[in-house]
Amino acid sequence: MSKKTDFYTPYKGPAGGWGALQSTTKHWLKSENAVRNIHTLLKTNQPHGFDCPGCAWGEKHDPAKIRFCENGAKAVNWEATSRKVDAAFMAEHSVSWLNTQSDYFLEYQGRLTEPLRYNRETDHYEAISWEDAYRHIGDTLKKQADPNTVAFYTSGRASNEAAFLYQLFARAYGTNNFPDCSNMCHEASGYALTSSIGIGKGTVEIDDFERADAVFVFGQNPGTNHPRMLETLKEVVQRGAQLLTFNTLRERGLERFQNPQSPVEMLTNGSKPTNTGYFCPKIGGDMAVVRGMVKVLIDLEAAAQQEGKAVFDHDFIKQHTQGLDAYLEQVKQTSWQDIIAQSGLSKEDITHAANVYAQAENVILTWAMGITQHHHSVATIHEMVNLMALRGNLGKPGAGVCPVRGHSNVQGDRTMGINERPSQAFLDALEKRFHFTPPQEHGLAVVDTIRAMRDGKVGVFIALGGNFAAATPDTQATVQALKQCQLTVQISTKLNRSHLITGTEAIILPCLGRTDIDHQAKGQQKVTVEDSFSMIHASGGVLEPLSKEQKSEPAIVAGIAAATLGNFPIDWNEVVSDYDLIREHIAAVVPGFNDFNQRILQDGGFYLGNSARERNWKTPSGKAICHSHVLPESILPKRAQDLLSDKTLILQTLRSHDQYNTTIYGMNDRYRGIKGERKVVFINPADIQRLGFEEGQSVTLRSIWDDGVERKISGFKLVPYSIPAGNIAAYYPETNPLVPLDSHGEFSNTPTSKSIAIELEAYEEESNGIAVAAV
Ligand SMILES: Nc1nc2c(c(=O)[nH]1)N[C@H]1C(S)=C(S)[C@@H](COP(=O)(O)OP(=O)(O)OC[C@H]3O[C@@H](n4cnc5c(=O)[nH]c(N)nc54)[C@H](O)[C@@H]3O)O[C@H]1N2
Ligand SMILES: Nc1nc2c(c(=O)[nH]1)N[C@H]1C(S)=C(S)[C@@H](COP(=O)(O)OP(=O)(O)OC[C@H]3O[C@@H](n4cnc5c(=O)[nH]c(N)nc54)[C@H](O)[C@@H]3O)O[C@H]1N2
Ligand SMILES: [Mo]
């Protein structure tokens, strides 16, 4: 039962270039606000403009440069629309009807412009005044017998000022329940780096890329998700330095790149290859790759010693590390057979990578979700740190580890204390400044929050941005958990699934975005953000808000706080009149923010510093700790392992070129050749044949887990693709119903969105699949 496969044709052009410009123009026009938006785009990431609401890649300070990329342009346009979702819109559409619509449809309706409250009897949202909304939320919070029945979710676009007030409010109220988008994202990076080098952030600055001899990029698709990074990588290659990529798929953006800001290249349509080595390991195979590289390095070191030379940096190892001998012993115990089987790469490929590493004086290693969303992600990142430690590639110019962050301020939110496991030092600093004792026991992260809602232990859910219902795993379980809440509150810019999966009561509070001008009692305000390189800079909107009824995130947090706590522990309304006052509090509590208000006046902002970069290891022993893990027998959690068969495939869920997380801008995925379709499965042609399917055939994906719950999605079409046999890929968030809630990373508790055991079945239209739009 073959279907026409006219929704895909392999993409032949380079990433960036004309395709990117054409697409940017299209998105300009679609926002119905083209003139306003051209002005807006030119302000993106400029010293006196706003921080791009797209990704967290940093910028070299160069005022002359235009600083937006195609996908940043999409993010800006999406926010700066003139379409409105207000009470009149809600009067026309019931929540049940809206729930049958796609995620794309929901966000496309425009900006939320009025506070809304769900009326269960009519099944419609209705207008509510700000005052009544605050009072209602405050009363509900005051009535809780235990503050730990409330969870405070944060998505990584919240500014430092909003995040700081939010955590202060929640802690003054009495809980550390801070589920955060970071729990689903770079949690493993934070955990692994803190436990090895003593700080949960990357150690490189953007300038380091100019001095690196080799850059290793693992599990990341910058052509789509961090387009400005491609320019940095291109410069690396043009300098003659090595760029080695490890990606399960052959991602176009990493294969070739043409710079849209370089007219000569575009006119000749000439693009130079940016990669000097492209390796396609199996899903979850990166720990094995790195282990293999270290195995080669051990041999190279032995050979070098014969000649009185060294490959390892023995001074660094002796002075700065702990546990490396035990780790090297662990590596020797691991067989090449296991390494090759798990990595899916040949010994020759791994040896090549190891030689590049050994010959480079300064090495940078970057990674993103292809590394962090597995069961063994923390172990994998520890392995990478060990590789870097062997040649002293930590804390020297041109070298270091670089987890490339997602949301534009996800790193800053953590710095501000959005953390369910805050450090004692942070809690003590809060106590000293605000004269109350914050709750000391750890709170709930994302997966535990869903469990607690399911079990009736959390009944109030407040979200500072994001789309919890769609971004989290196990959609059926999460939806059920949210519906059991007494009250859900969403502080949002745009309508999304989370507004439609309501608790008994539900309130939507419309907020300003990055592009909007923020007027407060003492004048126009700026906020601050932190990028992947720990640079802090100011961001101020440039557009008049669509409605007077939209409020800033800090103002909304303060409004809820005042209605709940009165003037405790601060005068909430006063600090919101002038954000300098919030920054003074931040300066007093968070290390590295002294003279905050003065330092953000500098063009380009200021560097927060990084202890590991200074070779100051904030670990119990004062050294960089090299952890040794056994190479796992299977990359899957135990609970899936016993149910596998030769039909089992491993699924990774990833982003298309036309989406920002759960925000779907369009139905195309240009660099992967997909047009007008999101329900696709990328699969090795040999697997299509082996399993008796045909190209383009419609299938059901059924996930394999031991709890007897049926998790399946249907009507996805098979696309033959360059991906290792046994591995498949499909888009998030449509695939989230497949991720079992209990399938999460060891130590990180991050849902294993990049390694889900699956079986495929032929799908007939009449069979009983879950409609993707109507979760
Ligand atoms: N335009 C746009 N920009 C974004 C986002 C967006 O949705 N749209 N999201 C933002 C956010 S929050 C984040 S966290 C980042 C995400 O940025 P990425 O991490 O680049 O996002 P993904 O699409 O999840 O891509 C994962 C990549 O890893 C590869 N991969 C998957 N599994 C493995 C594996 O086991 N090993 C290896 N070596 N490779 C693997 C996939 O093929 C894919 O190329 O981007 C941020 N920027
Ligand atoms: N299967 C699978 N699941 C995943 C992932 C995956 O790769 N695979 N990736 C995970 C990752 S890396 C992440 S970071 C999470 C993302 O999880 P979230 O951060 O929760 O999701 P987003 O889609 O980024 O949130 C989009 C919504 O945020 C709101 N919004 C946008 N801008 C603003 C703003 O400035 N202020 C406020 N208050 N609201 C705003 C809008 O209403 C919009 O609908 O998803 C995770 N889930
Ligand atoms: Mo993310």
Side-chain angles (χ1 to χ4, degrees), residues 71 185 219 221 224-226 246-248 251 283-284 286 368-370 374 406-407 652 655 659-661 754:
N71 279 346
C185 184
N221 183 22
T224 287
N225 297 313
H226 304 93
F246 297 82
N247 197 304
T248 299
E251 300 286 26
I283 288 175
D286 305 270
M369 296 303 102
H374 297 290
H407 268 301
Q652 59 139 322
R655 292 151 173 81
Q659 76 182 83
Y660 193 94
N661 298 339
K754 295 286 190 279

PDB file of all heavy atoms in Angstrom, residues 71 185 219 221 224-226 246-248 251 283-284 286 368-370 374 406-407 652 655 659-661 754, ligand 1:
ATOM      1  N   ASN A  71      16.241  31.979  11.568  1.00  0.00           N
ATOM      2  CA  ASN A  71      15.319  31.484  12.586  1.00  0.00           C
ATOM      3  C   ASN A  71      15.095  32.488  13.711  1.00  0.00           C
ATOM      4  O   ASN A  71      14.036  32.493  14.339  1.00  0.00           O
ATOM      5  CB  ASN A  71      15.754  30.101  13.090  1.00  0.00           C
ATOM      6  CG  ASN A  71      15.288  29.030  12.108  1.00  0.00           C
ATOM      7  OD1 ASN A  71      14.441  29.314  11.248  1.00  0.00           O
ATOM      8  ND2 ASN A  71      15.820  27.838  12.213  1.00  0.00           N
ATOM      9  N   CYS A 185      16.181  19.602  29.103  1.00  0.00           N
ATOM     10  CA  CYS A 185      17.091  20.179  28.104  1.00  0.00           C
ATOM     11  C   CYS A 185      18.542  19.885  28.485  1.00  0.00           C
ATOM     12  O   CYS A 185      19.051  18.801  28.219  1.00  0.00           O
ATOM     13  CB  CYS A 185      16.755  21.668  28.058  1.00  0.00           C
ATOM     14  SG  CYS A 185      17.612  22.641  26.865  1.00  0.00           S
ATOM     15  N   GLY A 219      26.115  15.864  18.580  1.00  0.00           N
ATOM     16  CA  GLY A 219      24.676  15.810  18.840  1.00  0.00           C
ATOM     17  C   GLY A 219      23.973  17.149  18.799  1.00  0.00           C
ATOM     18  O   GLY A 219      23.259  17.518  19.724  1.00  0.00           O
ATOM     19  N   ASN A 221      22.329  20.368  15.952  1.00  0.00           N
ATOM     20  CA  ASN A 221      21.966  20.751  14.588  1.00  0.00           C
ATOM     21  C   ASN A 221      21.945  22.270  14.465  1.00  0.00           C
ATOM     22  O   ASN A 221      20.883  22.882  14.350  1.00  0.00           O
ATOM     23  CB  ASN A 221      20.593  20.155  14.256  1.00  0.00           C
ATOM     24  CG  ASN A 221      20.175  20.447  12.831  1.00  0.00           C
ATOM     25  OD1 ASN A 221      21.026  20.725  11.972  1.00  0.00           O
ATOM     26  ND2 ASN A 221      18.880  20.392  12.576  1.00  0.00           N
ATOM     27  N   THR A 224      19.822  24.709  12.014  1.00  0.00           N
ATOM     28  CA  THR A 224      18.448  25.052  12.352  1.00  0.00           C
ATOM     29  C   THR A 224      18.347  25.736  13.704  1.00  0.00           C
ATOM     30  O   THR A 224      17.657  26.736  13.850  1.00  0.00           O
ATOM     31  CB  THR A 224      17.589  23.762  12.351  1.00  0.00           C
ATOM     32  OG1 THR A 224      17.413  23.363  11.005  1.00  0.00           O
ATOM     33  CG2 THR A 224      16.233  23.983  13.002  1.00  0.00           C
ATOM     34  N   ASN A 225      19.045  25.210  14.697  1.00  0.00           N
ATOM     35  CA  ASN A 225      18.769  25.633  16.064  1.00  0.00           C
ATOM     36  C   ASN A 225      19.706  26.715  16.606  1.00  0.00           C
ATOM     37  O   ASN A 225      19.353  27.400  17.567  1.00  0.00           O
ATOM     38  CB  ASN A 225      18.773  24.422  16.991  1.00  0.00           C
ATOM     39  CG  ASN A 225      17.671  23.457  16.603  1.00  0.00           C
ATOM     40  OD1 ASN A 225      16.544  23.870  16.388  1.00  0.00           O
ATOM     41  ND2 ASN A 225      17.998  22.193  16.465  1.00  0.00           N
ATOM     42  N   HIS A 226      20.874  26.845  16.008  1.00  0.00           N
ATOM     43  CA  HIS A 226      21.805  27.920  16.410  1.00  0.00           C
ATOM     44  C   HIS A 226      22.498  28.445  15.160  1.00  0.00           C
ATOM     45  O   HIS A 226      23.719  28.333  15.027  1.00  0.00           O
ATOM     46  CB  HIS A 226      22.847  27.398  17.414  1.00  0.00           C
ATOM     47  CG  HIS A 226      22.233  26.777  18.638  1.00  0.00           C
ATOM     48  ND1 HIS A 226      21.973  25.433  18.734  1.00  0.00           N
ATOM     49  CD2 HIS A 226      21.813  27.323  19.800  1.00  0.00           C
ATOM     50  CE1 HIS A 226      21.404  25.173  19.913  1.00  0.00           C
ATOM     51  NE2 HIS A 226      21.297  26.296  20.580  1.00  0.00           N
ATOM     52  N   PHE A 246      29.787  14.956  14.977  1.00  0.00           N
ATOM     53  CA  PHE A 246      29.229  13.630  15.270  1.00  0.00           C
ATOM     54  C   PHE A 246      27.729  13.777  15.343  1.00  0.00           C
ATOM     55  O   PHE A 246      27.207  14.416  16.253  1.00  0.00           O
ATOM     56  CB  PHE A 246      29.778  13.105  16.600  1.00  0.00           C
ATOM     57  CG  PHE A 246      31.265  12.911  16.558  1.00  0.00           C
ATOM     58  CD1 PHE A 246      32.118  13.986  16.749  1.00  0.00           C
ATOM     59  CD2 PHE A 246      31.805  11.662  16.282  1.00  0.00           C
ATOM     60  CE1 PHE A 246      33.483  13.820  16.676  1.00  0.00           C
ATOM     61  CE2 PHE A 246      33.178  11.488  16.205  1.00  0.00           C
ATOM     62  CZ  PHE A 246      34.021  12.575  16.401  1.00  0.00           C
ATOM     63  N   ASN A 247      27.043  13.260  14.367  1.00  0.00           N
ATOM     64  CA  ASN A 247      25.587  13.378  14.343  1.00  0.00           C
ATOM     65  C   ASN A 247      24.989  12.146  13.688  1.00  0.00           C
ATOM     66  O   ASN A 247      25.459  11.703  12.644  1.00  0.00           O
ATOM     67  CB  ASN A 247      25.158  14.645  13.581  1.00  0.00           C
ATOM     68  CG  ASN A 247      23.723  15.017  13.887  1.00  0.00           C
ATOM     69  OD1 ASN A 247      22.813  14.214  13.714  1.00  0.00           O
ATOM     70  ND2 ASN A 247      23.525  16.232  14.349  1.00  0.00           N
ATOM     71  N   THR A 248      23.968  11.633  14.341  1.00  0.00           N
ATOM     72  CA  THR A 248      23.274  10.453  13.846  1.00  0.00           C
ATOM     73  C   THR A 248      22.718  10.658  12.439  1.00  0.00           C
ATOM     74  O   THR A 248      22.643   9.729  11.649  1.00  0.00           O
ATOM     75  CB  THR A 248      22.134  10.138  14.847  1.00  0.00           C
ATOM     76  OG1 THR A 248      22.751   9.874  16.086  1.00  0.00           O
ATOM     77  CG2 THR A 248      21.313   8.992  14.426  1.00  0.00           C
ATOM     78  N   GLU A 251      23.189  16.182   8.775  1.00  0.00           N
ATOM     79  CA  GLU A 251      22.465  17.455   8.813  1.00  0.00           C
ATOM     80  C   GLU A 251      23.098  18.416   7.818  1.00  0.00           C
ATOM     81  O   GLU A 251      24.296  18.683   7.856  1.00  0.00           O
ATOM     82  CB  GLU A 251      22.492  18.061  10.226  1.00  0.00           C
ATOM     83  CG  GLU A 251      21.852  17.196  11.309  1.00  0.00           C
ATOM     84  CD  GLU A 251      20.326  17.168  11.256  1.00  0.00           C
ATOM     85  OE1 GLU A 251      19.754  17.384  10.170  1.00  0.00           O
ATOM     86  OE2 GLU A 251      19.725  16.912  12.325  1.00  0.00           O
ATOM     87  N   ILE A 283      22.413   6.298  17.531  1.00  0.00           N
ATOM     88  CA  ILE A 283      21.791   7.025  18.637  1.00  0.00           C
ATOM     89  C   ILE A 283      22.360   6.510  19.957  1.00  0.00           C
ATOM     90  O   ILE A 283      22.467   5.295  20.166  1.00  0.00           O
ATOM     91  CB  ILE A 283      20.248   6.823  18.610  1.00  0.00           C
ATOM     92  CG1 ILE A 283      19.642   7.605  17.439  1.00  0.00           C
ATOM     93  CG2 ILE A 283      19.624   7.250  19.933  1.00  0.00           C
ATOM     94  CD1 ILE A 283      18.153   7.385  17.253  1.00  0.00           C
ATOM     95  N   GLY A 284      22.771   7.443  20.801  1.00  0.00           N
ATOM     96  CA  GLY A 284      23.303   7.065  22.120  1.00  0.00           C
ATOM     97  C   GLY A 284      24.710   6.487  22.071  1.00  0.00           C
ATOM     98  O   GLY A 284      25.209   5.990  23.077  1.00  0.00           O
ATOM     99  N   ASP A 286      27.616   8.018  21.538  1.00  0.00           N
ATOM    100  CA  ASP A 286      28.720   8.978  21.685  1.00  0.00           C
ATOM    101  C   ASP A 286      29.672   8.648  22.837  1.00  0.00           C
ATOM    102  O   ASP A 286      30.862   8.918  22.754  1.00  0.00           O
ATOM    103  CB  ASP A 286      28.155  10.386  21.856  1.00  0.00           C
ATOM    104  CG  ASP A 286      27.226  10.727  20.711  1.00  0.00           C
ATOM    105  OD1 ASP A 286      27.706  11.257  19.703  1.00  0.00           O
ATOM    106  OD2 ASP A 286      26.029  10.408  20.797  1.00  0.00           O
ATOM    107  N   ALA A 368      24.724  19.437  22.282  1.00  0.00           N
ATOM    108  CA  ALA A 368      23.361  19.859  22.647  1.00  0.00           C
ATOM    109  C   ALA A 368      22.495  18.610  22.871  1.00  0.00           C
ATOM    110  O   ALA A 368      22.978  17.627  23.443  1.00  0.00           O
ATOM    111  CB  ALA A 368      22.788  20.816  21.615  1.00  0.00           C
ATOM    112  N   MET A 369      21.257  18.640  22.394  1.00  0.00           N
ATOM    113  CA  MET A 369      20.264  17.641  22.829  1.00  0.00           C
ATOM    114  C   MET A 369      20.568  16.202  22.392  1.00  0.00           C
ATOM    115  O   MET A 369      20.067  15.257  22.993  1.00  0.00           O
ATOM    116  CB  MET A 369      18.866  18.028  22.325  1.00  0.00           C
ATOM    117  CG  MET A 369      18.321  19.327  22.883  1.00  0.00           C
ATOM    118  SD  MET A 369      18.247  19.364  24.678  1.00  0.00           S
ATOM    119  CE  MET A 369      19.682  20.365  25.082  1.00  0.00           C
ATOM    120  N   GLY A 370      21.393  16.034  21.327  1.00  0.00           N
ATOM    121  CA  GLY A 370      21.755  14.665  20.925  1.00  0.00           C
ATOM    122  C   GLY A 370      22.573  13.963  21.997  1.00  0.00           C
ATOM    123  O   GLY A 370      22.728  12.736  21.976  1.00  0.00           O
ATOM    124  N   HIS A 374      19.407  11.337  26.880  1.00  0.00           N
ATOM    125  CA  HIS A 374      19.510   9.874  26.934  1.00  0.00           C
ATOM    126  C   HIS A 374      19.534   9.409  28.383  1.00  0.00           C
ATOM    127  O   HIS A 374      19.763  10.198  29.300  1.00  0.00           O
ATOM    128  CB  HIS A 374      20.811   9.414  26.262  1.00  0.00           C
ATOM    129  CG  HIS A 374      20.903   9.724  24.806  1.00  0.00           C
ATOM    130  ND1 HIS A 374      20.132   9.088  23.859  1.00  0.00           N
ATOM    131  CD2 HIS A 374      21.664  10.608  24.131  1.00  0.00           C
ATOM    132  CE1 HIS A 374      20.431   9.564  22.665  1.00  0.00           C
ATOM    133  NE2 HIS A 374      21.353  10.496  22.800  1.00  0.00           N
ATOM    134  N   GLY A 406      19.765  26.218  24.904  1.00  0.00           N
ATOM    135  CA  GLY A 406      18.590  26.322  24.060  1.00  0.00           C
ATOM    136  C   GLY A 406      17.941  27.674  24.160  1.00  0.00           C
ATOM    137  O   GLY A 406      18.327  28.633  23.478  1.00  0.00           O
ATOM    138  N   HIS A 407      16.962  27.791  25.044  1.00  0.00           N
ATOM    139  CA  HIS A 407      16.240  29.040  25.224  1.00  0.00           C
ATOM    140  C   HIS A 407      17.219  30.169  25.525  1.00  0.00           C
ATOM    141  O   HIS A 407      18.221  29.981  26.210  1.00  0.00           O
ATOM    142  CB  HIS A 407      15.285  28.905  26.409  1.00  0.00           C
ATOM    143  CG  HIS A 407      13.912  28.453  26.024  1.00  0.00           C
ATOM    144  ND1 HIS A 407      13.133  29.155  25.150  1.00  0.00           N
ATOM    145  CD2 HIS A 407      13.170  27.399  26.415  1.00  0.00           C
ATOM    146  CE1 HIS A 407      11.966  28.532  25.019  1.00  0.00           C
ATOM    147  NE2 HIS A 407      11.967  27.462  25.773  1.00  0.00           N
ATOM    148  N   GLN A 652      14.722   8.895  17.955  1.00  0.00           N
ATOM    149  CA  GLN A 652      15.089  10.202  18.534  1.00  0.00           C
ATOM    150  C   GLN A 652      14.064  11.220  18.064  1.00  0.00           C
ATOM    151  O   GLN A 652      13.611  11.187  16.914  1.00  0.00           O
ATOM    152  CB  GLN A 652      16.504  10.621  18.114  1.00  0.00           C
ATOM    153  CG  GLN A 652      16.718  10.745  16.615  1.00  0.00           C
ATOM    154  CD  GLN A 652      17.558  11.953  16.226  1.00  0.00           C
ATOM    155  OE1 GLN A 652      17.431  13.014  16.821  1.00  0.00           O
ATOM    156  NE2 GLN A 652      18.398  11.782  15.220  1.00  0.00           N
ATOM    157  N   ARG A 655      13.847  18.626  16.223  1.00  0.00           N
ATOM    158  CA  ARG A 655      13.173  19.819  15.731  1.00  0.00           C
ATOM    159  C   ARG A 655      13.279  19.932  14.215  1.00  0.00           C
ATOM    160  O   ARG A 655      14.324  19.636  13.645  1.00  0.00           O
ATOM    161  CB  ARG A 655      13.839  21.067  16.341  1.00  0.00           C
ATOM    162  CG  ARG A 655      13.620  21.185  17.816  1.00  0.00           C
ATOM    163  CD  ARG A 655      14.754  21.916  18.511  1.00  0.00           C
ATOM    164  NE  ARG A 655      14.415  22.152  19.905  1.00  0.00           N
ATOM    165  CZ  ARG A 655      14.545  21.239  20.871  1.00  0.00           C
ATOM    166  NH1 ARG A 655      15.032  20.047  20.608  1.00  0.00           N
ATOM    167  NH2 ARG A 655      14.188  21.533  22.100  1.00  0.00           N
ATOM    168  N   GLN A 659      10.232  25.355  13.313  1.00  0.00           N
ATOM    169  CA  GLN A 659       9.584  25.333  14.618  1.00  0.00           C
ATOM    170  C   GLN A 659      10.512  25.936  15.654  1.00  0.00           C
ATOM    171  O   GLN A 659      11.730  25.973  15.460  1.00  0.00           O
ATOM    172  CB  GLN A 659       9.210  23.898  15.037  1.00  0.00           C
ATOM    173  CG  GLN A 659      10.366  23.029  15.532  1.00  0.00           C
ATOM    174  CD  GLN A 659       9.927  21.613  15.887  1.00  0.00           C
ATOM    175  OE1 GLN A 659       9.812  20.746  15.021  1.00  0.00           O
ATOM    176  NE2 GLN A 659       9.685  21.371  17.169  1.00  0.00           N
ATOM    177  N   TYR A 660       9.911  26.433  16.737  1.00  0.00           N
ATOM    178  CA  TYR A 660      10.702  26.744  17.919  1.00  0.00           C
ATOM    179  C   TYR A 660      10.095  25.940  19.058  1.00  0.00           C
ATOM    180  O   TYR A 660       9.042  26.296  19.599  1.00  0.00           O
ATOM    181  CB  TYR A 660      10.699  28.252  18.254  1.00  0.00           C
ATOM    182  CG  TYR A 660      11.772  28.526  19.265  1.00  0.00           C
ATOM    183  CD1 TYR A 660      13.040  28.937  18.870  1.00  0.00           C
ATOM    184  CD2 TYR A 660      11.561  28.262  20.608  1.00  0.00           C
ATOM    185  CE1 TYR A 660      14.054  29.098  19.791  1.00  0.00           C
ATOM    186  CE2 TYR A 660      12.571  28.417  21.527  1.00  0.00           C
ATOM    187  CZ  TYR A 660      13.820  28.839  21.113  1.00  0.00           C
ATOM    188  OH  TYR A 660      14.830  28.975  22.027  1.00  0.00           O
ATOM    189  N   ASN A 661      10.710  24.843  19.394  1.00  0.00           N
ATOM    190  CA  ASN A 661      10.148  23.917  20.381  1.00  0.00           C
ATOM    191  C   ASN A 661       8.701  23.589  20.023  1.00  0.00           C
ATOM    192  O   ASN A 661       8.437  23.115  18.921  1.00  0.00           O
ATOM    193  CB  ASN A 661      10.296  24.469  21.799  1.00  0.00           C
ATOM    194  CG  ASN A 661      11.758  24.637  22.176  1.00  0.00           C
ATOM    195  OD1 ASN A 661      12.617  24.014  21.567  1.00  0.00           O
ATOM    196  ND2 ASN A 661      12.046  25.450  23.163  1.00  0.00           N
ATOM    197  N   LYS A 754      15.629  11.361  23.216  1.00  0.00           N
ATOM    198  CA  LYS A 754      16.455  10.962  22.075  1.00  0.00           C
ATOM    199  C   LYS A 754      16.724   9.459  22.064  1.00  0.00           C
ATOM    200  O   LYS A 754      17.506   9.006  21.230  1.00  0.00           O
ATOM    201  CB  LYS A 754      17.795  11.725  22.091  1.00  0.00           C
ATOM    202  CG  LYS A 754      17.679  13.227  21.884  1.00  0.00           C
ATOM    203  CD  LYS A 754      17.362  13.639  20.463  1.00  0.00           C
ATOM    204  CE  LYS A 754      17.491  15.140  20.250  1.00  0.00           C
ATOM    205  NZ  LYS A 754      16.305  15.905  20.714  1.00  0.00           N
TER     206      LYS A 754
HETATM  207  N1  LIG B   1      15.003  27.563  15.359  1.00  0.00           N
HETATM  208  C1  LIG B   1      15.056  26.960  16.551  1.00  0.00           C
HETATM  209  N2  LIG B   1      16.077  27.236  17.390  1.00  0.00           N
HETATM  210  C2  LIG B   1      16.143  26.614  18.583  1.00  0.00           C
HETATM  211  C3  LIG B   1      15.114  25.742  19.033  1.00  0.00           C
HETATM  212  C4  LIG B   1      14.058  25.452  18.118  1.00  0.00           C
HETATM  213  O1  LIG B   1      13.174  24.620  18.391  1.00  0.00           O
HETATM  214  N3  LIG B   1      14.060  26.089  16.894  1.00  0.00           N
HETATM  215  N4  LIG B   1      15.136  25.211  20.290  1.00  0.00           N
HETATM  216  C5  LIG B   1      16.075  25.790  21.267  1.00  0.00           C
HETATM  217  C6  LIG B   1      16.289  24.840  22.353  1.00  0.00           C
HETATM  218  S1  LIG B   1      15.301  24.962  23.759  1.00  0.00           S
HETATM  219  C7  LIG B   1      17.305  23.959  22.339  1.00  0.00           C
HETATM  220  S2  LIG B   1      17.597  22.945  23.684  1.00  0.00           S
HETATM  221  C8  LIG B   1      18.239  23.882  21.216  1.00  0.00           C
HETATM  222  C9  LIG B   1      18.236  22.462  20.617  1.00  0.00           C
HETATM  223  O2  LIG B   1      19.220  22.334  19.652  1.00  0.00           O
HETATM  224  P1  LIG B   1      19.597  20.868  19.089  1.00  0.00           P
HETATM  225  O3  LIG B   1      20.154  20.029  20.149  1.00  0.00           O
HETATM  226  O4  LIG B   1      20.405  21.096  17.867  1.00  0.00           O
HETATM  227  O5  LIG B   1      18.116  20.319  18.727  1.00  0.00           O
HETATM  228  P2  LIG B   1      17.479  18.982  18.164  1.00  0.00           P
HETATM  229  O6  LIG B   1      16.599  19.266  17.003  1.00  0.00           O
HETATM  230  O7  LIG B   1      16.845  18.275  19.289  1.00  0.00           O
HETATM  231  O8  LIG B   1      18.693  18.243  17.518  1.00  0.00           O
HETATM  232  C10 LIG B   1      19.441  17.275  18.053  1.00  0.00           C
HETATM  233  C11 LIG B   1      20.518  16.901  17.043  1.00  0.00           C
HETATM  234  O9  LIG B   1      21.254  15.827  17.602  1.00  0.00           O
HETATM  235  C12 LIG B   1      21.265  14.715  16.707  1.00  0.00           C
HETATM  236  N5  LIG B   1      21.231  13.510  17.539  1.00  0.00           N
HETATM  237  C13 LIG B   1      20.161  12.918  18.121  1.00  0.00           C
HETATM  238  N6  LIG B   1      20.531  11.867  18.872  1.00  0.00           N
HETATM  239  C14 LIG B   1      21.877  11.780  18.774  1.00  0.00           C
HETATM  240  C15 LIG B   1      22.864  10.939  19.370  1.00  0.00           C
HETATM  241  O10 LIG B   1      22.568  10.036  20.160  1.00  0.00           O
HETATM  242  N7  LIG B   1      24.168  11.184  19.060  1.00  0.00           N
HETATM  243  C16 LIG B   1      24.536  12.181  18.201  1.00  0.00           C
HETATM  244  N8  LIG B   1      25.836  12.374  17.982  1.00  0.00           N
HETATM  245  N9  LIG B   1      23.629  12.980  17.595  1.00  0.00           N
HETATM  246  C17 LIG B   1      22.319  12.798  17.909  1.00  0.00           C
HETATM  247  C18 LIG B   1      20.055  14.893  15.840  1.00  0.00           C
HETATM  248  O11 LIG B   1      20.234  14.221  14.592  1.00  0.00           O
HETATM  249  C19 LIG B   1      19.980  16.405  15.705  1.00  0.00           C
HETATM  250  O12 LIG B   1      20.804  16.871  14.675  1.00  0.00           O
HETATM  251  O13 LIG B   1      17.919  24.793  20.172  1.00  0.00           O
HETATM  252  C20 LIG B   1      17.407  26.057  20.585  1.00  0.00           C
HETATM  253  N10 LIG B   1      17.226  26.848  19.378  1.00  0.00           N
END
